[in-house]
Amino acid sequence: MRNWRWGFLVLLHLAFLLGTEAFKFHKTQRTERISGSAGDVLEDDPVGRLKVFVYELPSKYNKKILQKDPRCLSHMFAAEIYMHRFLLSSPVRTLNPEEADWFYTPVYTTCDLTPNGLPLPFKSPRMMRSAIQLIASNWPYWNRTEGADHFFIVPHDFAACFHYQEEKAIGRGILPLLQRSTLVQTFGQRNHVCLKDGSITIPPYAPPQKMQSHFIPPDIPRSIFVYFRGLFYDVGNDPEGGYYARGARAAVWENFKDNPLFDISTEHPTTYYEDMQRAIFCLCPLGWAPWSPRLVEAVIFGCIPVIIADDIVLPFADAIPWEEIGVFVAEKDVPNLDTILTSIPPEEILRKQRLLANPSMKQAMLFPQPAQSGDAFHQILNGLARKLPHDRSVYLTPGEKILNWTAGPVGDLKPW
């Protein structure tokens, strides 16, 4: 059993030291450039390094879907919409498919929401399959590689496995027709059937203008040691407990609900963004999927992300040094979270804060309107450019077929 009195005094002393140092940091707003190749990659300019052809699909695949439900513009899966808009006016776009390095199919597979605003994945496989059938029938470019020089934005919980529950997503697997394409997705977990080699992992969408409107003066000290707002249990979908977040969120609550240095709750206050800017550490635990917008919010607001999601593959990992700016805690070690965080030296915390203050770091996590140099749009293009040139082996001989058009669950083969 913990000696809470002694522990409380130690933690208070550490919090005071960190609060003082954090105050000095905010007054000066010092930043630190990302060292080595990661910093160079983060600042790459993709313009001139690739050309993208955007297929013109019937509006039922994109614009009409959005017209039915404008909420799709603000949910965390909205990258598929904003990437389409960006590419239409991007200097990397080419109207001549013969000179294209990459082909993009604008299909909004996540824009099917419940009344509560949760995305339904059940029509997504049929919709994606229908779009691929269309481009394969009307243009020659899909058939010459069976999609190996095509990329798709698939921001579902488990990407192109198209389900929000992991067990069912694993059972489905990646849509067979996408097996040769490059998938640009928010989901990332090593050794998982829903993340194939060559995928580009991106941040979820978080509204840039909304976050910007909640910035507080930089001289306000970070007086909260650990901050989290969100579910600890999902009673509706996991009534027995233990399955949601693999028990990690429940462990946070059970171990630290009474700890004075942990400001954690299920309530989502109107001061949520301001509170993150007053916190030193922000918990970013897995939920049903390993990722969430908290990761973006933590980076934007300079709150050190505490990443609790075993084997997670983080956005733009070749450009953003997550090990240097965040803290990784294994799911099994959640009961020791207080000891882990209070053991981090103040100078290490300050360095993480300086790196987080780097504007290029924040820019890479956002999908702003209009686009800006170094933002998430450009990081995606950088990832595609680094895959060029395509190996000649991706081009099929006339009549050669690799993909099985009849593979997958029977329900996915129905017309959309």
Side-chain angles (χ1 to χ4, degrees), residues 170-407:
I170 291 173
R172 292 185 55 84
I174 293 173
L175 187 71
L177 293 185
L178 295 176
Q179 290 290 349
R180 287 174 57 83
S181 301
T182 290
L183 303 181
V184 179
Q185 58 187 68
T186 45
F187 172 77
Q189 184 173 317
R190 288 185 291 275
N191 305 313
H192 199 286
V193 298
C194 299
L195 178 69
K196 72 184 191 71
D197 289 344
S199 298
I200 297 174
T201 310
I202 65 172
Y205 177 77
Q209 290 81 7
K210 181 180 178 182
M211 289 190 291
Q212 187 175 11
S213 68
H214 286 267
F215 280 134
I216 63 176
D219 58 350
I220 293 179
R222 293 185 179 269
S223 56
I224 301 170
F225 192 62
V226 180
Y227 187 76
F228 176 78
R229 290 294 183 272
L231 290 177
F232 297 99
Y233 302 90
D234 188 346
V235 178
N237 293 298
D238 182 27
E240 296 181 4
Y243 186 65
Y244 176 62
R246 295 195 284 258
R249 292 196 186 199
V252 169
W253 179 250
E254 296 301 332
N255 285 278
F256 304 111
K257 59 186 175 184
D258 297 322
N259 189 309
L261 288 185
F262 280 67
D263 187 345
I264 59 176
S265 172
T266 57
E267 297 179 2
H268 206 286
T270 56
T271 58
Y272 174 69
Y273 286 154
E274 289 82 357
D275 292 343
M276 292 189 84
Q277 295 170 78
R278 297 186 182 98
I280 295 170
F281 295 105
C282 288
L283 301 185
C284 300
L286 75 162
W288 285 111
W291 60 272
S292 82
R294 288 181 189 84
L295 195 65
V296 178
E297 295 162 350
V299 171
I300 297 304
F301 294 127
C303 186
I304 298 170
V306 180
I307 300 161
I308 307 170
D310 293 353
D311 295 320
I312 189 172
V313 176
L314 291 160
F316 308 134
D318 55 349
I320 296 178
W322 291 105
E323 295 283 351
E324 295 184 49
I325 66 172
V327 176
F328 289 78
V329 177
E331 293 165 25
K332 67 178 178 61
D333 293 333
V334 166
N336 303 318
L337 194 55
D338 54 348
T339 302
I340 292 170
L341 296 181
T342 56
S343 299
I344 300 174
E347 58 270 19
E348 185 177 338
I349 290 175
L350 289 172
R351 181 169 187 270
K352 291 179 185 296
Q353 289 179 325
R354 288 196 298 271
L355 285 169
L356 283 168
N358 188 319
S360 61
M361 185 90 67
K362 302 177 188 298
Q363 190 80 314
M365 298 294 285
L366 295 175
F367 295 91
Q369 304 293 307
Q372 300 171 17
S373 177
D375 61 18
F377 299 117
H378 290 83
Q379 299 306 325
I380 292 171
L381 294 182
N382 280 333
L384 293 169
R386 286 192 288 274
K387 292 177 176 293
L388 297 175
H390 296 295
D391 192 281
R392 295 304 304 173
S393 64
V394 306
Y395 295 95
L396 307 180
T397 58
E400 183 182 4
K401 299 290 183 183
I402 295 177
L403 297 178
N404 183 354
W405 284 76
T406 61

